[in-house]
Amino acid sequence: MRQWTIDAFTSAPFAGNPASVLEPLLAWPDEGWMQSLAAENNHSETAYLRATEDADRFDLRWFTPTQEVTLCGHATLAAAHALWSELGSHARSLTFNTASGTLVVRPAGEGYEMEFPVDPLLRIDPPPGLAEALGAVPIEVWTSRYLIAVMPNGDTVRRLSPKPGAVLPFGEGCLEQGQVVVAGLADDVKDHDVVDRFFGPGCGIQEDPATGSARCGLAPLFAEKLGRPTIRFLQAFPGRGARFETEIAGERVLIRGQAVTVMESRLRVFP
């Protein structure tokens, strides 16, 4: 079986977020095998596709090196890129059946547009100890899929250096525990509006280079703050960086980005 390493939410290799994508399966392997391969790949996500009777529809699951997750943006983008760019799909759009419902991906310009659900938002008081864990005092805190800590500006977000595992206790009231998104408005920057980072020890990832699922909460939050539906994000993972454009469309968020294949390999072990 073939497997690809694809950098998602970037137009150049060695940036964005790498995901492993296995070529489509006819049946799900044993979950222990899927988890072991994800641990062997050691990317933040490994994407598994299962073919259906519809050539344009696939079942899709995502595994971090330590567990299966219910939603992943960058590995969905990588899976769609693999189907179009590596396997020659002629579909005008691809539909994925996932643990978070139906997700649709379409070509858009030089990249792709994903249609994801909007996550609910609730503003809360800053949890005790959060500022100490992050190393900076947030001006707002919201619950969503993840805990969202809004900082005074993008430079504060860039400078953060929390200790490994420091955010594990946080996330009560969120869909996911121990995973914190930190974001701030960019200062006088023309190519992005918001700077963000994602710390996710709760799913085995100390810091994620590009987190598409975080846009489900960040997009509506900053669309409201800036008074417009379209927002440009820079996820400022040190040494890589990833770029997103989002647009609110009712109860869905459109997430746009590019992807680059950097490696193809062949598995010598089989489920």
Side-chain angles (χ1 to χ4, degrees):
M1 288 185 294
R2 288 178 294 173
Q3 179 177 261
W4 297 273
T5 299
I6 295 169
D7 287 345
F9 293 111
T10 177
S11 60
F14 313 126
N17 198 358
S20 294
V21 182
L22 197 66
E23 68 177 306
L25 301 152
L26 296 179
W28 289 131
D30 175 77
E31 288 187 2
W33 186 90
M34 290 195 285
Q35 187 62 72
S36 294
L37 179 58
E40 184 83 5
N41 288 329
N42 202 32
H43 296 312
S44 57
E45 301 290 346
T46 294
Y48 295 96
L49 293 160
R50 183 174 66 176
T52 71
E53 294 180 356
D54 184 344
D56 300 344
R57 180 182 286 265
F58 295 83
D59 300 329
L60 174 60
R61 297 170 69 177
W62 313 276
F63 285 74
T64 78
T66 62
Q67 67 186 64
E68 186 173 7
V69 297
T70 59
L71 184 63
C72 179
H74 88 278
T76 302
L77 188 72
H81 176 81
L83 290 166
W84 270 309
S85 295
E86 306 303 328
L87 291 170
S89 172
H90 296 291
R92 303 178 92 178
S93 66
L94 291 168
T95 302
F96 297 105
N97 307 316
T98 79
S100 290
T102 300
L103 306 178
V104 177
V105 185
R106 310 173 187 86
E110 296 181 352
Y112 308 98
E113 178 183 86
M114 305 192 299
E115 185 179 319
F116 273 39
V118 168
D119 283 339
L121 287 162
L122 176 66
R123 187 170 179 177
I124 62 170
D125 293 331
L130 178 62
E132 291 76 10
L134 293 173
V137 179
I139 58 174
E140 296 175 9
V141 178
W142 299 76
T143 60
S144 186
R145 175 173 298 275
Y146 313 111
L147 194 72
I148 299 175
V150 180
M151 292 296 172
N153 51 55
D155 286 341
T156 302
V157 175
R158 293 175 184 272
R159 292 195 301 266
L160 293 178
S161 184
K163 295 179 181 178
V167 304
L168 266 175
F170 303 101
E172 184 177 354
C174 299
L175 297 175
E176 305 286 351
Q177 178 78 24
Q179 301 173 59
V180 176
V181 184
V182 185
L185 289 171
D187 297 321
D188 299 323
V189 177
K190 295 182 179 179
D191 64 353
H192 59 274
D193 306 304
V194 178
V195 178
D196 65 270
R197 292 171 69 183
F198 178 92
F199 303 102
C203 66
I205 302 167
Q206 292 302 323
E207 182 172 0
D208 196 33
T211 315
S213 58
R215 309 308 121 184
C216 298
L218 288 173
L221 177 61
F222 283 95
E224 178 68 24
K225 288 182 178 298
L226 295 175
R228 48 187 164 86
T230 303
I231 307 294
R232 301 164 302 165
F233 291 91
L234 170 66
Q235 188 162 336
F237 182 89
R240 292 186 74 95
R243 295 185 179 274
F244 311 75
E245 181 182 86
T246 64
E247 181 179 349
I248 298 299
E251 295 301 312
R252 308 292 282 180
V253 56
L254 307 179
I255 307 171
R256 303 182 185 109
Q258 296 176 254
V260 179
T261 304
V262 297
M263 189 182 305
E264 179 178 335
S265 59
R266 288 189 178 274
L267 294 181
R268 294 189 177 184
V269 295
F270 302 95

